[in-house]
Amino acid sequence: MSDRVVPAAARRRRRPTKEGVVLSEELIVATALRLIEEHGAEALSVRRLGRALGADPSSLYRYFRHTDDLMLAIADELIGRTLRTWRPTGDWRADLRDLGLRMHAGALAHPRAAVLSSYRVTGRAHEIQAVETILGVLREAGFPDPEAVRVYHAFVDQALAFGALDSAGTALPKAARDAESAVWEATYARLPADTHPHIAATARHLVADMRRSSYPAALDLLLGAAAARLAEIQRRT
Amino acid sequence: MSDRVVPAAARRRRRPTKEGVVLSEELIVATALRLIEEHGAEALSVRRLGRALGADPSSLYRYFRHTDDLMLAIADELIGRTLRTWRPTGDWRADLRDLGLRMHAGALAHPRAAVLSSYRVTGRAHEIQAVETILGVLREAGFPDPEAVRVYHAFVDQALAFGALDSAGTALPKAARDAESAVWEATYARLPADTHPHIAATARHLVADMRRSSYPAALDLLLGAAAARLAEIQRRT
DNA sequence: TTCACAGGTCAACGGTGTTGTCATAAGGTG
DNA sequence: CACCTTATGACAACACCGTTGACCTGTGAA
């Protein structure tokens, strides 16, 4: 049973399921994404996916070794979609800012896939293309190779990490999410100034700021620092 | 059955389990942390925790409403431990750098708890203390309130997000983790220069850089940008 | 000494990913 | 066209998961 999976290229027979659906890697990935979109991240399980496809759950194991493999395929598809809508202008800082925001938004739209893909290297086609593109932006902006790689790494990981962080929040059941944001008003905003002077002094800002994602701010800080570094490098040569 | 849980303060009767253990919130949290440390993040389940404690799994529901509640308690304990070993010196940038690295290291040591706590507000004692402390560092450094809150938010979320990201990687089964890092050498380092010029040009740096966490680099970028902002603000007044 | 009930146990429910086994129709071959 | 191989589907079972309703019992206050 070790290799139930036949590589996509070698697939020949298109035998329909009991309910008449003809399975394929693409159809499975697309259906999984639809499932996540329509019913939330927690709606994705092998069994539910099987039901949605009109196939026995175990059939999916002919296409993916485990759920993990499936998630990686989904992740790569997401990378592709994100990159496809991005139009670089030649201004590296604006382009990376735009790309970062798009990656973050893409993660928010697909929480479960975002969490998984954030710490995995898919090694698939779309991912490779993304690496090539981002490195190109940085090198053409004038970053020397080691610096380009360092900034690339920090940029991508930060986008993925915040994407996973923020999307994990949205994946909570609604009741829990409401409870979360209530904590800031119910607990933090009511702490007395004598025991918690700094919280008390900034409570107003805290309540307002904590309900938003801090990713845009973090992204701007990162890009700002990178720009300063680039200026420094160019001044020195 | 809606309130099986008696608040910690009101607990009176210390009835031992069949195996003679006297349960308590502290003992449960401590045992859960030990379980994670010894057998990895995936070893933590209500049933296993029950077994490790010498108690029926359902007993835990007398102390925590659901596993989530338990994870939040664990997370708060971790915050407490991290803060306890931290010795601020008065240099805000060095202190925050040190704290960030400690938070990140703490997350790596407890992957499962890190992932969960990263996107939750516990509202418990240790968390509140941490917020107060960090805000204090920033305000005393001279950041005006709205700016202090913004930097606080970005700083904390970045530490949590990278902590979750990197610890999720370490939580992979060893085989999968090896496979991951192999991808960079096996796939990326071998792409031809004519189709992927930027990857090919930086392959050497990529292979070296991608196996490390990018958190320290990202943290330095963030703190650097914040420092520049502070200088700008102080110059203007 | 009594006795309410906190705090333990037990059994069950409905869910999950995964796999060993079997059946069958697709599609290449003669 | 008929045959045979085998890819690909279906089924049933396994071991686990979190959670809950019902029950039992020893604790500790009155």
Side-chain angles (χ1 to χ4, degrees):
Chain A
M1 206 56 35
S2 63
D3 42 8
R4 210 163 202 168
V5 175
V6 169
R11 294 201 166 270
R12 291 252 120 75
R13 314 193 181 174
R14 322 271 58 191
R15 180 183 186 175
T17 71
K18 232 178 175 181
E19 310 201 2
V21 188
V22 176
L23 295 179
S24 71
E25 196 167 316
E26 295 76 32
L27 179 62
I28 295 172
V29 169
T31 307
L33 274 172
R34 187 170 54 74
L35 222 54
I36 293 178
E37 260 156 29
E38 289 176 5
H39 308 296
E42 75 287 0
L44 189 60
S45 74
V46 176
R47 300 176 115 98
R48 263 201 266 245
L49 182 51
R51 221 176 300 141
L53 279 162
D56 189 90
S58 66
S59 301
L60 304 185
Y61 288 86
R62 300 278 180 209
Y63 295 83
F64 301 95
R65 252 196 279 279
H66 11 253
T67 18
D68 240 55
D69 270 21
L70 169 59
M71 298 308 289
L72 287 184
I74 296 175
D76 198 63
E77 173 59 23
L78 277 183
I79 295 175
R81 291 189 186 183
T82 300
L83 222 54
R84 219 171 291 140
T85 64
W86 176 63
R87 295 274 168 273
T89 65
D91 173 352
W92 72 270
R93 186 165 169 180
D95 287 345
L96 287 188
R97 189 183 138 83
D98 185 41
L99 182 58
L101 294 176
R102 276 174 201 277
M103 289 173 70
H104 188 252
L108 284 184
H110 300 276
R112 174 106 179 239
V115 168
L116 218 157
S117 72
S118 65
Y119 60 94
R120 304 298 298 277
V121 181
T122 73
R124 284 163 170 257
H126 290 134
E127 187 192 62
I128 293 176
Q129 195 200 328
V131 175
E132 175 68 14
T133 306
I134 299 174
L135 275 175
V137 168
L138 288 169
R139 291 181 77 228
E140 278 156 18
F143 285 94
D145 289 352
E147 199 71 17
V149 167
R150 211 168 313 136
V151 173
Y152 159 79
H153 193 181
F155 169 80
V156 167
D157 276 12
Q158 182 164 285
L160 294 174
F162 274 84
L165 180 83
D166 291 332
S167 65
T170 68
L172 289 174
K174 189 168 175 345
R177 203 155 74 254
D178 293 346
E180 289 278 308
S181 64
V183 168
W184 288 102
E185 289 161 49
T187 304
Y188 282 89
R190 300 201 179 151
L191 291 170
D194 50 348
T195 60
H196 300 83
H198 299 297
I199 292 177
T202 55
R204 201 163 47 83
H205 300 111
L206 271 179
V207 169
D209 205 86
M210 296 311 283
R211 70 171 77 242
R212 295 199 304 265
S213 165
S214 59
Y215 179 61
L219 174 61
D220 284 333
L221 289 175
L222 188 143
L223 291 177
R229 198 99 133 208
L230 179 61
E232 172 71 13
I233 288 168
Q234 288 177 334
R235 198 176 49 72
R236 209 180 297 171
T237 57
Chain B
M1 206 58 34
S2 64
D3 42 7
R4 212 162 201 167
V5 176
V6 168
R11 292 198 170 272
R12 290 252 122 73
R13 316 195 179 172
R14 321 273 58 193
R15 180 183 186 176
T17 71
K18 234 179 174 182
E19 311 202 1
V21 188
V22 176
L23 295 179
S24 70
E25 195 167 318
E26 294 76 31
L27 179 62
I28 294 172
V29 169
T31 306
L33 275 172
R34 187 168 56 74
L35 222 54
I36 294 179
E37 261 157 28
E38 289 176 8
H39 308 295
E42 76 285 0
L44 189 60
S45 74
V46 175
R47 297 176 117 97
R48 266 201 263 246
L49 183 51
R51 220 176 301 138
L53 281 162
D56 190 89
S58 64
S59 300
L60 304 185
Y61 288 86
R62 301 276 181 212
Y63 293 83
F64 301 96
R65 252 195 281 275
H66 13 252
T67 18
D68 240 57
D69 269 22
L70 169 58
M71 297 308 290
L72 289 184
I74 295 175
D76 198 63
E77 174 59 23
L78 277 183
I79 296 175
R81 291 190 186 184
T82 300
L83 223 55
R84 221 170 290 140
T85 65
W86 176 63
R87 294 275 167 273
T89 65
D91 173 351
W92 71 269
R93 188 164 168 181
D95 287 345
L96 286 188
R97 190 182 137 83
D98 185 41
L99 182 58
L101 294 177
R102 275 173 202 278
M103 290 173 70
H104 188 252
L108 284 184
H110 299 278
R112 174 104 179 241
V115 168
L116 217 157
S117 72
S118 66
Y119 60 93
R120 305 297 299 277
V121 181
T122 73
R124 284 163 169 258
H126 291 134
E127 188 192 62
I128 293 176
Q129 194 200 329
V131 175
E132 174 68 14
T133 305
I134 300 175
L135 276 175
V137 168
L138 289 169
R139 293 181 76 228
E140 276 156 19
F143 285 94
D145 289 352
E147 199 72 15
V149 166
R150 213 170 311 138
V151 172
Y152 160 79
H153 193 183
F155 169 80
V156 167
D157 277 11
Q158 190 192 48
L160 293 174
F162 274 87
L165 181 82
D166 291 331
S167 65
T170 69
L172 288 175
K174 192 175 174 337
R177 203 156 74 252
D178 293 345
E180 289 278 306
S181 65
V183 168
W184 287 100
E185 289 161 48
T187 304
Y188 281 90
R190 299 200 179 152
L191 292 171
D194 50 348
T195 59
H196 299 83
H198 298 297
I199 290 176
T202 54
R204 201 162 47 80
H205 300 110
L206 271 179
V207 169
D209 205 87
M210 296 312 283
R211 71 171 77 243
R212 294 201 303 266
S213 166
S214 59
Y215 178 60
L219 173 61
D220 284 334
L221 289 175
L222 188 142
L223 291 177
R229 198 97 133 211
L230 180 59
E232 171 71 14
I233 288 169
Q234 288 178 332
R235 198 176 50 72
R236 208 179 299 168
T237 55

